[in-house]
Amino acid sequence: MALYQNGDELAHKVDACFDKVHSPGTAAPYSGIYICANCRDEYACNAGDPLPPQNHRQHNPSTGAIRWKLLIQTQNGPS
Ligand SMILES: [Zn+2]
């Protein structure tokens, strides 16, 4: 589970972008932290870079396919 110290630096947002599932190796649509919905492994990825493939380090194939979901979306500059 992702950790943080100062919650004032995070903002809650309800958006479909957090529900969408991404396959391994596809380009990350947003910069941020992604979580595998099956094994809960977390991975920081920049927008446009490929999400980790099927052999990502903790994923046990017996739990099903890797299913990346956006967990924390990072933002640049003033919001
Ligand atoms: Zn996984």
Side-chain angles (χ1 to χ4, degrees):
M1 186 170 285
L3 307 174
Y4 66 92
Q5 176 168 287
N6 184 358
D8 292 342
E9 300 290 351
L10 298 174
H12 185 236
K13 180 182 180 185
V14 176
D15 191 284
C17 71
F18 295 100
D19 296 323
K20 189 168 183 191
V21 174
H22 306 279
S23 299
T26 58
Y30 301 97
S31 295
I33 300 171
Y34 289 78
I35 186 167
C36 175
N38 280 336
C39 71
R40 316 310 293 175
D41 192 21
E42 297 161 3
Y43 185 82
C45 197
N46 290 320
D49 288 351
L51 291 162
Q54 186 63 38
N55 62 352
H56 85 84
R57 61 186 166 81
Q58 294 178 354
H59 190 85
N60 182 342
S62 70
T63 65
I66 295 170
R67 301 170 67 238
W68 292 115
K69 293 177 77 172
L70 182 63
L71 177 66
I72 301 283
Q73 179 185 357
T74 56
Q75 302 188 99
N76 296 322
S79 55

